[in-house]
Amino acid sequence: MICGYLGPQGSYSYLALTEGFPEMTPEACDTFSEIIEKVDTGAIAAGLLPVENSTEGAVTAVMDSLLTLQHGAIQAEVIYTVCHHLFMAEKDEAAMNTAYSHPQAIEQCRHFFRTHYPGVKLVPCESTSTACLLAKEAGNGTAAIASRWAGLHHGLKPVRGNIQDNRFNQTRFVLLGTGTPQPTGNDKTAIAFSFHRDTAGNLYEILKIFAEANVNLTRIESRPAKMELGQYVFFIDFEGHQQEPAIGAILEKLRLLTRTFIIFGSFPRAQRVLGED
Ligand SMILES: O=C(O)C(=O)C[C@]1(C(=O)O)C=C[C@@H](O)C=C1
């Protein structure tokens, strides 16, 4: 089964995919929206996407792209411990003037650079593994923030290890595919919705439905609806599976109260944390 991920090889998406789903054949993609589109059209069977990080919060590009999802559904989730390292083509710290990485990784290491390399310019690029290719190509003075695996795989020299600002740095990924996995008794459901009008108590009414059914929410986020200032799309993850009658009843009530209403899927909760070395 082919599974798309944010490439090239060595990105955290790649590491989470190969450790979490070793039976899949990884296919490198350039963007998160490309992965979603390919799953939706059936060009690939599955895709792995980072959705949130314990330090930096939501991966907003993924959330926005998920709103376009048509046929795909979340099948599973994995949690990966992200441990960043600093690499250069030649180990020459004094010459370092630029460091490339994915925007999420840059934010996860910002304090480290302010403290240790305040003069180094942090430049965002498509992924942490693209950063390795850029550092290799540019050579002198250019560094990459990436996993140890990626840096060594792309032939770079390690400069500093464990540079993330927070020792506890985990990213949660979801596996997109098609169909709905069977309930396991320990599942989560992910949805998004918007409201018809901006009126008092909208969100309260939704939260009350969950509270009265005694259903625990595991995540709540909002993103701009990108239509008008003050209009939002809400993303909620909660415990339970859409095929359980109590959860099905909640979803029906929500559908009546909302404008856009998307069920991203019901899937088993992550059982263990990957990437611990
Ligand atoms: O650039 C990568 O290595 C990715 O897989 C992307 C990504 C992200 O978007 O959050 C994945 C995990 C880390 O939090 C940093 C970057």
Side-chain angles (χ1 to χ4, degrees), residues 180-227:
T180 302
Q182 288 302 308
T184 64
N186 189 12
D187 303 294
K188 280 159 72 174
T189 297
I191 61 169
F193 55 84
S194 65
F195 293 109
H196 293 282
R197 278 176 302 281
D198 180 17
T199 49
N202 269 344
L203 193 56
Y204 171 78
E205 288 301 328
I206 299 285
L207 296 180
K208 200 167 80 167
I209 292 170
F210 284 104
E212 284 176 356
N214 199 23
V215 169
N216 185 33
L217 306 188
T218 56
R219 183 189 192 203
I220 178 162
E221 301 266 0
S222 65
R223 290 289 299 149
K226 301 190 199 302
M227 281 146 66

Side-chain angles (χ1 to χ4, degrees), residues 6 11-13 32 50 53 59 82 102 104-105 108 127-128 171 173:
L6 184 70
S11 63
Y12 290 100
S13 300
F32 297 134
N53 172 265
V59 182
V82 169
H102 186 277
Q104 275 274 340
Q108 292 162 26
S127 70
T128 54
T171 299
F173 292 82

